[in-house]
Amino acid sequence: MGFSPSFSCSTLGALILGCLLLQASNSNAQLRPDFYFGTCPPVFDIIWNTIVDELQTDPRIAASILRLHFHDCFVRGCDASILLDNSTSFRTEKDAAPNANSVRGFDVIDRMKAALERACPRTVSCADMLTIASQISVLLSGGPWWPVPLGRRDSVEAFFDLANTALPSPFFNLTQLKAAFADVGLNRASDLVALSGGHTFGKAQCQFVTPRLYNFNGTNRPDPSLNPTYLTELRRLCPQNGNGTVLVNFDPVTPNAFDSQYYTNLRNGKGLIQSDQELFSTPGADTIPLVNLYSSDMSVFFQAFVDAMIRMGNLRPLTGTQGEIRQNCRVVNSRIRVVENDDGVVSSI
C-alpha cells in the first residue's frame, strides 16, 4: 500500500518532549499531556508500533481508530465504554445501530492493551490509549500532531440506549448535526466542520450512501447537491438494491491521507454521505465559509481539527478515583480472571 512513515518512534518522542510545555487550549485541569511520563514512559511508542504494524496490511485502520474515538466520546464522554463487550449488567454499545457491523479495530485495541499491560501493568486506561491511538493514527496518515491531555479513567458500564440516540446519523441535515454536536458540548461551527474532516480518509458502506443516490428524502430522485459525474460513479459502486456492505472511499482523490481534500470535495459536490455535503450545500449556512477556508488552507484546517479534538477529548472525563483502569478493554475488572494467553491478552470469566 506504500505506507512509509517519514519519522521514527524516537522522532515522535522528541516531538512529545519538545511540545509538552505547550498549553492545550480548553484543557481539562485534571488532564495533562505528561500524565504517563513517570509511570509508563513507553506508552506512545507501544501504541505507535502497534498501529504501524497494522497499517502494513490494513490501510483503513487509522481511520477506523479515529472513528472509534469519535463514537466513544459522543456517548457519555471519552471513557472507552464503546470497547466493552456484552455482560450480564449491560448491553454493549457495539450493538447500537450506528455501530453494529460498522465500527471496527477491536482486535488491534486488544493487542495494544496487552502490550501496555506487559510494560506498565494496571497503569494506562483504555480511554487514554484510544485517545492517543487516534492522534497517532492522524499523524501517521499525514495529519497534525498535538499534545494529548491525558489522565482519563475507564467506564465500568456501557450505554447502549444512548449510543442509539447521541451519535450523529449520516442522513442528518445541518440542523440535526448541529443539535447532536451541541448536545455533547461541541457547540461551535468549527467543532462540527473540523471534526467532520475526519472523513478525509477511511470508507463508508453503501447502505449509508444509496438513499441519496436513488431516493433522496423520498423524492425518488438523487440528492440535487451531488456532482453528476460523482453520482454516476457512486451508482456504479453502489447499485440500487445492491450489497449494502460494499465499501466506498470517503475521499476518492486521496483516500488514505489525512489532508484537506475532503473540503475541496464538498465544494465540488463530492461529499460521500448526506451529513458531509450538508456542511457546504445548505443555503446560507455558517459552515460554508469554514469549508472554503479549510479547503484553501490545510494548516488552518489542521489547527481547527486539533482544537476540536482536544475539546472533544475533554468531554466528561472520568478522573481521580472515578471509574477504573481496565486490564482488558472488553470487560470491567470485576469480571477479569488474571490469566494471559500466549499473546499476553488477559482473559475474562
Side-chain angles (χ1 to χ4, degrees):
M1 62 167 237
F3 168 73
S4 56
S6 58
F7 40 83
S8 64
C9 286
S10 60
T11 310
L12 176 67
L15 276 172
I16 295 170
L17 287 168
C19 294
L20 279 176
L21 294 178
L22 295 175
Q23 294 298 313
S25 63
N26 300 306
S27 179
N28 184 292
Q30 293 178 287
L31 302 180
R32 63 182 200 271
D34 65 347
F35 188 83
Y36 295 110
F37 266 45
T39 57
C40 191
V43 58
F44 293 96
D45 286 354
I46 289 170
I47 295 172
W48 171 284
N49 288 334
T50 304
I51 297 172
V52 167
D53 287 346
E54 187 67 19
L55 278 169
Q56 307 303 323
T57 55
D58 181 7
R60 288 179 62 201
I61 195 60
S64 296
I65 288 173
L66 180 60
R67 184 165 181 250
L68 269 179
H69 181 52
F70 284 162
H71 283 223
D72 181 37
C73 293
F74 263 77
V75 180
R76 199 67 74 90
C78 310
D79 59 2
S81 59
I82 195 173
L83 303 180
L84 287 167
D85 286 341
N86 276 317
S87 81
T88 55
S89 303
F90 51 77
R91 187 173 180 184
T92 177
E93 293 171 26
K94 299 172 186 179
D95 288 345
N99 296 329
N101 302 310
S102 179
V103 289
R104 61 190 295 273
F106 299 107
D107 290 345
V108 179
I109 296 299
D110 290 342
R111 292 196 293 276
M112 199 179 290
K113 180 60 172 173
L116 284 171
E117 285 298 310
R118 287 194 294 271
C120 315
R122 301 173 179 83
T123 301
V124 180
S125 69
C126 298
D128 274 346
M129 184 184 74
L130 184 55
T131 305
I132 296 169
S134 67
Q135 190 277 322
I136 290 176
S137 293
V138 168
L139 181 64
L140 285 169
S141 302
W145 181 89
W146 62 95
V148 180
L150 300 168
R152 299 167 192 79
R153 288 168 66 86
D154 298 324
S155 170
V156 294
E157 59 181 322
F159 308 98
F160 169 81
D161 290 335
L162 187 59
N164 272 317
T165 59
L167 289 165
S169 164
F171 308 113
F172 272 3
N173 61 34
L174 185 58
T175 299
Q176 293 169 314
L177 281 173
K178 286 186 171 183
F181 274 67
D183 283 348
V184 298
L186 298 171
N187 53 10
R188 306 184 308 189
S190 59
D191 294 329
L192 169 59
V193 180
L195 290 176
S196 295
H199 286 167
T200 191
F201 62 170
K203 298 175 184 286
Q205 296 181 26
C206 280
Q207 62 179 311
F208 302 120
V209 182
T210 48
R212 66 189 301 244
L213 305 183
Y214 303 98
N215 187 24
F216 181 64
N217 290 343
T219 62
N220 289 316
R221 298 181 62 83
D223 184 343
S225 68
L226 271 166
N227 178 294
T229 303
Y230 190 48
L231 171 62
T232 299
E233 174 64 10
L234 289 179
R235 282 181 163 177
R236 183 186 67 81
L237 296 170
C238 301
Q240 196 167 20
N241 302 318
N243 184 350
T245 63
V246 169
L247 296 171
V248 183
N249 290 322
F250 270 111
D251 177 1
V253 182
T254 55
N256 295 321
F258 194 94
D259 55 23
S260 60
Q261 182 63 42
Y262 165 84
Y263 300 102
T264 303
N265 294 341
L266 298 186
R267 295 175 68 181
N268 293 330
K270 295 183 178 181
L272 179 62
I273 56 177
Q274 177 184 345
S275 57
D276 285 340
Q277 193 60 51
E278 291 278 342
L279 301 178
F280 187 76
S281 296
T282 302
D286 60 354
T287 54
I288 295 174
L290 291 173
V291 171
N292 287 328
L293 177 61
Y294 299 163
S295 170
S296 63
D297 192 331
M298 189 162 66
S299 65
V300 175
F301 161 50
F302 279 4
Q303 186 56 57
F305 184 80
V306 166
D307 290 344
M309 284 292 287
I310 291 173
R311 279 168 56 81
M312 185 179 73
N314 290 339
L315 295 175
R316 302 179 63 172
L318 300 175
T319 58
T321 58
Q322 298 173 313
E324 65 181 17
I325 306 297
R326 276 184 233 142
Q327 295 170 252
N328 178 336
C329 293
R330 293 177 180 266
V331 292
V332 298
N333 289 341
S334 61
R335 296 181 61 83
I336 289 286
R337 177 164 53 92
V338 186
V339 176
E340 293 186 358
N341 65 17
D342 291 340
D343 295 323
V345 177
V346 179
S347 61
S348 61
I349 61 173

